[in-house]
C-alpha cells in the first residue's frame, strides 16, 4: 500500500531532519525519495519475507549511522514475516528486544495488524491509519455487493430459523466470494504479463518480472481473502450484537441494523444471551486466525448454524 510507505517516509524525514521534518532540506528530500543512507527499506519480493532478508536488514542496521542520525528500517508488508515457520518473526522479535544499537528505529508496515504475531506487536508502538476506501483498493464495488448480499441473506436466516440447510448453503456462498475476487486479480495479472512479454526485454529479465508480478498478485489474493473474511465476521458479529440487544430489551435505535428489529423481536424473543455471547467469542478468535491465513470455514459454519439453531 503506497500510502503507508509515504507515511513512513514522512515519519522518517521528521526524525532525522534538523527542523523536525521541513520537507525541504536535503535529509527530508532524499528520505522522501527513499534514497538516503540512514534509511533501509525491505521490500518483499516473494510470498514471504525470508530469513536471509531479515539477516541482511539486521546487518545493515548494525552498521554505525552516518552523522549520528537515526537509522530507520521500514519493512513493507511486514505480515509476510509469518513464513519460514515463524523463524523470521522470531528474528525480528529478538532484534526488537535487543536492537544493534540505540540509533535503530524499525517501522513495520501492515494493513491488518492482527497478521502480526502478538509477541512482536507487544514490542511495537502501534499507529492506526484509516485511508478512506483504500483497504479494499480497486475492489470497493465488489466488496459493497458482497456486503449487501451478506446482509440480506442474514436477514432471511434470522427470520426463518428452521432452515438449517439454507444456513449451510449460505456459509458455502461466502467461501465462493473469494475465488471471485481471485479471478479479478488473475485477469489483471494476465494483462500485465502480456504487456511484459511484449516489452522486448531479454528472456531472463522477462522471466524475472513475470515471477515478481505473479508473487505480488498471490500476496494480494491472500491479503484480500483475509480482509473479506474479517469483514464477513464483523457483519455477522453486528447481527449477534443486535440479537443480544433485543433479547436484553434494547430499543430499535440501539441496533446496528435497525431494519432487523422486528425480525429479531419475533424470532429470538426469550432466547439466551449467553449463547450469542459465546458465538461472539468464536468470531473474535477466528478473526485473528483468518488474518494469519488459517482455515476459517469451520468457524463460519459454527457461527452461522449457531445463529439459526435454538
Ligand atoms: Zn528537513
Amino acid at each position: 500500500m503506497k500510502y503507508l510507505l509515504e507515511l513512513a517516509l514522512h515519519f522518517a524525514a521528521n526524525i532525522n531532519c534538523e527542523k523536525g521534518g521541513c520537507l525541504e532540506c536535503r535529509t527530508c528530500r532524499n528520505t522522501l525519495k527513499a534514497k538516503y543512507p540512514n534509511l533501509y527499506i525491505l521490500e518483499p519480493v516473494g510470498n514471504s519475507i525470508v530469513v536471509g532478508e531479515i539477516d541482511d536488514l539486521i546487518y545493515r542496521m548494525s552498521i554505525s549511522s552516518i552523522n549520528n542520525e537515526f537509522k530507520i528500517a521500514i519493512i513493507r508488508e511486514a505480515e509476510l514475516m509469518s513464513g519460514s515457520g515463524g523463524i523470521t518473526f522470531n528474528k525480528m522479535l529478538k532484534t526488537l528486544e535487543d536492537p544493534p544499537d540505540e540509533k535503530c528505529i524499525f517501522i513495520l508496515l501492515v494493513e491488518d495488524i492482527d497478521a502480526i504475531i502478538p509477541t512482536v506487536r507487544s514490542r511495537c508502538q502501534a499507529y492506526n491509519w484509516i485511508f478512506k476506501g483504500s483497504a479494499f483498493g480497486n475492489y470497493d464495488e465488489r466488496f459493497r455487493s458482497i456486503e449487501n448480499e451478506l446482509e440480506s441473506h442474514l436477514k432471511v436466516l434470522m427470520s426463518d430459523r428452521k432452515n438449517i440447510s439454507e444456513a449451510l448453503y449460505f456459509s458455502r456462498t461466502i467461501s465462493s466470494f473469494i475465488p471471485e475476487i481471485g479471478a479479478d486479480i488473475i485477469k489483471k495479472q494476465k494483462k500485465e504479463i502480456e504487456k511484459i512479454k511484449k516489452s522486448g526485454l531479454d528472456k531472463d529479465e522477462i522471466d524475472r518480472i513475470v515471477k515478481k508480478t505473479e508473487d505480488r498478485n498471490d500476496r494480494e489474493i491472500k491479503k484480500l481473502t483475509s480482509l473479506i473474511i474479517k469483514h464477513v465476521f464483523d457483519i455477522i458479529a453486528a447481527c449477534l450484537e443486535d440479537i443480544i440487544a433485543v433479547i436484553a430489551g434494547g430499543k430499535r435505535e440501539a441496533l446496528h441494523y435497525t431494519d432487523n428489529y422486528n425480525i429479531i423481536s419475533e424470532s429470538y424473543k426469550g432466547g439466551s444471551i449467553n449463547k450469542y455471547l459465546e458465538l461472539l467469542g468464536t468470531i473474535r478468535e477466528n478473526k485473528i486466525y483468518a488474518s494469519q491465513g488459517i482455515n476459517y470455514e469451520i468457524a463460519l459454519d459454527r457461527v452461522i448454524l449457531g445463529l439459526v439453531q435454538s
Side-chain angles (χ1 to χ4, degrees):
M1 175 74 61
K2 72 178 200 299
Y3 299 112
L4 276 180
L5 179 64
E6 272 171 36
L7 210 87
L9 292 173
H10 277 80
F11 185 72
N14 172 280
I15 289 168
N16 277 333
C17 165
E18 283 178 1
K19 295 174 201 149
C22 68
L23 304 185
E24 284 163 3
C25 70
R26 234 172 62 96
T27 303
C28 281
R29 276 183 293 138
N30 289 340
T31 303
L32 292 182
K33 274 189 257 170
K35 289 199 169 82
Y36 195 65
N38 288 329
L39 177 71
Y40 180 63
I41 300 176
L42 199 167
E43 185 101 40
V45 280
N47 278 324
S48 62
I49 294 174
V50 296
V51 181
E53 287 173 286
I54 287 290
D55 284 340
D56 190 36
L57 174 106
I58 295 168
Y59 170 72
R60 283 165 190 251
M61 292 299 274
S62 68
I63 297 170
S64 52
S65 86
I66 294 164
N67 299 330
N68 206 29
E69 288 178 352
F70 280 99
K71 297 171 282 184
I72 299 163
I74 298 175
I75 304 175
R76 299 189 75 177
E77 300 185 61
E79 73 274 14
L80 294 176
M81 288 191 286
S82 63
S84 310
I87 303 173
T88 355
F89 256 139
N90 276 333
K91 280 223 160 156
M92 193 68 233
L93 177 61
K94 288 212 180 85
T95 310
L96 291 175
E97 281 174 335
D98 186 18
D101 58 50
E102 74 280 10
K103 284 288 176 187
C104 293
I105 293 177
F106 292 88
I107 302 176
L108 279 57
L109 301 182
V110 65
E111 280 161 60
D112 172 10
I113 195 155
D114 293 331
I116 301 290
I117 56 168
T119 43
V120 168
R121 226 186 306 156
S122 69
R123 277 148 187 94
C124 297
Q125 172 90 50
Y127 295 93
N128 248 321
W129 301 90
I130 308 289
F131 301 109
K132 195 170 176 288
S134 65
F136 304 142
N138 305 320
Y139 306 98
D140 263 359
E141 215 174 293
R142 213 173 250 281
F143 267 84
R144 252 357 110 228
S145 79
I146 289 176
E147 210 170 71
N148 290 338
E149 206 172 318
L150 190 66
E151 285 165 7
S152 61
H153 260 287
L154 283 169
K155 202 179 223 170
V156 173
L157 287 183
M158 290 194 296
S159 61
D160 180 14
R161 292 180 55 195
K162 286 185 192 69
N163 209 335
I164 308 285
S165 62
E166 175 66 25
L168 277 173
Y169 168 75
F170 169 61
S171 189
R172 302 288 180 270
T173 325
I174 295 172
S175 307
S176 76
F177 291 147
I178 289 148
E180 278 174 32
I181 291 252
D184 277 0
I185 294 175
I186 287 163
K187 215 159 103 194
K188 192 184 79 182
Q189 169 173 314
K190 268 195 178 146
K191 273 191 200 152
E192 281 176 64
I193 290 176
E194 269 167 35
K195 233 191 202 162
I196 298 164
K197 285 188 170 157
K198 283 182 196 153
S199 64
L201 291 165
D202 69 63
K203 196 185 163 295
D204 284 354
E205 185 65 3
I206 287 179
D207 287 349
R208 201 185 58 80
I209 301 175
V210 166
K211 173 85 177 54
K212 211 174 145 184
T213 309
E214 286 170 351
D215 284 346
R216 198 191 54 228
N217 288 325
D218 282 352
R219 294 205 300 272
E220 203 171 329
I221 292 176
K222 229 197 240 170
K223 217 178 289 182
L224 279 166
T225 305
S226 73
L227 280 175
I228 299 175
I229 296 307
K230 282 182 80 170
H231 198 53
V232 165
F233 277 136
D234 279 341
I235 292 175
I236 300 175
C239 287
L240 287 169
E241 283 169 5
D242 283 353
I243 293 172
I244 292 168
V246 172
I247 294 176
K251 290 207 170 75
R252 178 189 294 269
E253 298 77 50
L255 304 191
H256 298 282
Y257 299 105
T258 47
D259 281 359
N260 290 348
Y261 182 80
N262 288 342
I263 292 173
I264 297 176
S265 311
E266 280 168 29
S267 268
Y268 292 86
K269 214 166 209 140
S272 142
I273 287 179
N274 283 344
K275 180 188 157 191
Y276 302 108
L277 285 174
E278 219 170 88
L279 289 173
L280 275 177
T282 306
I283 288 184
R284 218 169 300 131
E285 282 164 30
N286 284 281
K287 255 177 76 177
I288 293 169
Y289 292 148
S291 307
Q292 292 162 1
I294 298 166
N295 277 350
Y296 56 86
E297 283 98 341
I298 294 168
L300 200 58
D301 278 355
R302 200 170 126 200
V303 171
I304 290 178
L305 281 178
L307 197 67
V308 295
Q309 283 168 336
S310 338

